[in-house]
């Protein structure tokens, strides 16, 4: 018999869930506002600093501002600011889904060797002028980086299809790849001329300064294509976190889901790395911050990972311009310096388990 | 009436046959069937094979099930879960597979009803990672029930529960199966529970079926000696129910 107490408890469960959803939506909304502000500040900063109001005017009423301001904001700073957003988002989502399908908090494009492979590919072009695939010289570095990153991702992908290979083995394989490509990179650096060495070191530190509109469009397009694929599988991907057996018992083809996700993630990880160099921290920490804020229901975790990654890299871009006035520090270096204190603060103040 | 019968059912992992020769009569809805046997006998494999999560020879005959419906639900053995999800979300997740993002009120009411029936409403907004083994098993049962299966395969659902919860869960499942005409197969180690709650029993040992039939016919002194290597008596208690008394030695 259903008692009054039971009815009250049931109503509480229902209501509390709706409140939880609302809280998460508000959090995601807040993150969006923070991201918008960060991008605007990022565009205001540079050799000539503009007021935030000027930037907003250039964005929304471009006919009312000077040609110079319009050109600086739209043609120079906006590609860089938006590159930070798309690259941060891509790496963070790639990391989030790698952590999900491999059930491992350490999984990310960086820890699975994809970034290291890209670094080696770029170094091949910078040091030896070797093209993995014949292309025009100016595209050699990103194409090499992309192809090596895809090669590493495909290796991980095919290794994961082999019988008897567990998710733990895949993470170990990834770490082995990191060491291999780092060793090869060191070898190239040892053999490189002074000029080529400087170029390799700069590339591996990651930089947004060479961002252009076409690069922004390509990374954005990859996001636009891949995000709906993840969104469509939101319930299944979330269920994967309950364990393989449990997910299979819900009727999910776990093997297929893993493979499809890994393929998509490879693309998401390889493209940004090939454009901006090695930016390791975002892919690992972006998803963890998102997880701490909204949990692992992919309906919230996916957008939160996108925004957290974008926000992390955008904020980093701001910091990289402000630490030493007049100089733009390599973003790959600053990412960790900005992200670590924030990440530590979240870990130490968060009372609930976050993995 | 919903029912299932197994004919020459077996399972293989790769080329290796790990289970063979499982035959049963019709196990009909409204009743519970125990699957018993020593550790690593092949009980979980049998469930996975019935749920088509693994391949192998033989047939699973279903009768009276609604076509195209998610008929068979396998509830795996409890494993530690570190997902950052609340209990409520994990149950919602089980019910929403294959459907859209929008969550309807009716779906939430159903979760409330199941939480309340299993008396775990107080756990609803706890994180899965904070739960004890027994609490996780209760949540796992809720995840299975919310899928409204016609045939439910429960792999050791009471192994981490205290005695009160074991009796509570098994009584609940027995009355639920009778009420909703669900066929429940349940892997158990406590044979007294099998005797008390299950109409039929299948015995699996060393990857093959040893016996199948009405529980009181299957669980005998000989079975306990031959399969479990334990000298024990089976006597009727004051309420006339058979009870296993282990007062002998290991054989």
């Amino acid at each position: 018999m259903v008692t009054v107490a039971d009815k009250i408890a049931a109503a509480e469960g229902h209501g509390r869930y709706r409140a939880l959803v609302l809280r998460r939506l508000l959090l995601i909304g807040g993150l969006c506002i923070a991201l918008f502000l960060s991008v605007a500040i990022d565009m205001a900063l540079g050799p000539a600093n503009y007021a935030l109001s000027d930037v907003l005017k250039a964005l929304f009423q471009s006919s009312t501002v000077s040609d110079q301001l319009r050109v600086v904001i739209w043609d120079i700073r906006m590609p860089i600011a938006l590159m930070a957003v798309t690259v941060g988002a891509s790496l963070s989502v790639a990391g989030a889904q790698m952590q999900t399908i491999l059930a491992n908090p350490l999984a990310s494009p960086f820890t699975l060797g994809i970034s290291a492979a890209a670094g080696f590919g770029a170094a091949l072009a910078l040091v030896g002028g070797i093209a993995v695939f014949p292309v025009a010289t100016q595209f050699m570095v990103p194409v090499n980086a992309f192809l090596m990153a895809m090669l590493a991702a495909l290796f991980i992908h095919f290794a994961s299809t082999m019988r008897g290979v567990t998710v733990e083995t895949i993470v170990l394989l990834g770490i082995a790849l990191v060491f291999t490509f780092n060793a090869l990179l060191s070898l190239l650096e040892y053999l490189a001329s002074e000029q080529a060495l400087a170029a390799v070191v700069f590339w591996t530190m990651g930089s947004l300064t060479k961002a252009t509109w076409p690069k922004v469009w390509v990374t954005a397009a990859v996001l636009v294509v891949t995000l709906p694929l993840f969104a469509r599988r939101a319930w299944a991907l979330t269920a994967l976190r309950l364990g393989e057996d449990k997910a299979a018992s819900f009727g999910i083809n776990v093997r297929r889901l893993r493979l499809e996700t890994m393929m998509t993630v490879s693309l998401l990880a390889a493209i940004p790395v090939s454009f901006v160099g090695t930016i390791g921290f975002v892919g690992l920490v972006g998803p963890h911050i998102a997880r701490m804020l909204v949990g692992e229901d992919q309906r919230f975790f996916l957008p939160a990972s996108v925004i957290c990654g974008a926000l992390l890299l955008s904020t980093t871009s701001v910091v990289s311009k402000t630490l030493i006035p007049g100089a733009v520090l390599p973003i790959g270096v600053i990412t960790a310096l900005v992200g670590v204190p924030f990440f530590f603060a979240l870990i130490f103040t968060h009372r609930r388990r976050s993995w | 009436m919903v029912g299932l019968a197994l004919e020459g059912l077996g399972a293989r992992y790769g080329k290796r046959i790990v289970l063979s020769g499982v035959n049963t009569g019709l196990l009909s809805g409204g009743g519970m069937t125990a699957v018993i046997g020593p550790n690593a006998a092949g009980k979980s494999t049998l469930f996975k094979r019935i749920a088509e999560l693994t391949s192998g020879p033989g047939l699973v005959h279903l009768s009276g099930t609604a076509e195209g419906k998610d008929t068979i639900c396998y509830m795996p053995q409890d494993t530690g879960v570190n997902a950052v999800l609340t209990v409520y979300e994990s149950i919602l997740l089980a019910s929403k597979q294959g459907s859209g993002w929008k969550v309807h009120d009716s779906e939430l009411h159903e979760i409330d009803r199941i939480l309340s029936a299993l008396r775990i409403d107080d756990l609803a907004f706890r994180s899965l990672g904070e739960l004890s083994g027994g609490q996780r098993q209760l949540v796992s049962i809720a995840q299975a029930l919310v899928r409204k299966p016609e045939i439910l395969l429960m792999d050791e659902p009471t192994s981490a529960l205290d005695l009160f919860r074991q009796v509570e869960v098994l009584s609940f499942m027995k009355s639920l199966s009778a009420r909703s005409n669900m066929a429940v197969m349940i892997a158990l180690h406590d044979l007294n529970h099998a005797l008390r709650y299950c109409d039929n029993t299948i015995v699996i040992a060393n990857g093959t079926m040893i016996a199948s039939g009405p529980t009181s016919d299957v669980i005998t002194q000989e079975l306990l000696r031959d399969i479990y290597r334990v000298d024990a008596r089976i006597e009727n208690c004051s309420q006339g129910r058979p009870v296993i008394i282990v007062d002998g030695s290991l054989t």
Side-chain angles (χ1 to χ4, degrees), chain B residues 218-234:
Chain B
V218 169
I219 299 182
T220 59
Q221 216 165 342
E222 292 73 37
L223 178 101
L224 296 172
R225 193 183 56 231
D226 297 344
I227 302 299
Y228 287 94
R229 296 185 296 149
V230 169
D231 259 337
R233 292 176 286 137
I234 300 179

Side-chain angles (χ1 to χ4, degrees), chain B residues 196-246:
Chain B
R196 178 164 176 190
Y197 295 102
C198 300
D199 315 285
N200 291 297
T201 292
I202 299 170
V203 186
I204 306 279
N206 291 324
T208 190
M209 193 187 85
I210 304 296
S212 160
T215 303
S216 50
D217 295 350
V218 169
I219 299 182
T220 59
Q221 216 165 342
E222 292 73 37
L223 178 101
L224 296 172
R225 193 183 56 231
D226 297 344
I227 302 299
Y228 287 94
R229 296 185 296 149
V230 169
D231 259 337
R233 292 176 286 137
I234 300 179
E235 290 184 1
N236 283 347
C237 70
S238 57
Q239 293 178 17
R241 274 198 296 263
V243 178
I244 298 170
I245 302 163
V246 184

Side-chain angles (χ1 to χ4, degrees), chain A residues 25 74 91 110 120 148 167 173 179 185 190 219 279 352:
Chain A
L25 289 175
W74 280 89
L91 292 176
F110 191 70
F120 172 68
M148 289 307 295
V167 287
L173 280 175
F179 282 108
L185 180 67
Y190 181 72
T219 34
I279 299 176
R352 284 196 306 185

Side-chain angles (χ1 to χ4, degrees), chain A residues 10 13-14 16-18 24 231 234-236 239 241-242 245-246 248-250 252 295-297 299 353-355, chain B residues 53 74 82-85 88-89 92-94 96-97 99-101 103 105 108-109 112 125 128 140 143 147:
Chain A
H14 178 193
R16 279 184 71 182
Y17 177 75
R18 291 287 188 211
R24 284 179 181 166
W235 293 115
R241 293 288 295 117
L242 297 180
D245 271 0
K246 187 54 76 69
S249 79
F250 290 167
I252 297 163
E296 285 193 285
D297 180 340
R299 294 174 306 148
R353 283 175 60 117
S354 53
W355 182 268
Chain B
L53 298 178
Y74 164 57
N82 50 12
V84 188
L85 291 168
Y88 205 91
E89 287 175 293
L92 176 67
L93 188 59
K96 289 296 287 179
Q97 290 303 323
S99 43
W101 276 31
V103 175
D105 279 349
L108 296 181
H109 288 312
D112 289 335
F125 291 91
L128 287 179
S140 204
Q143 288 167 347
R147 293 174 62 76

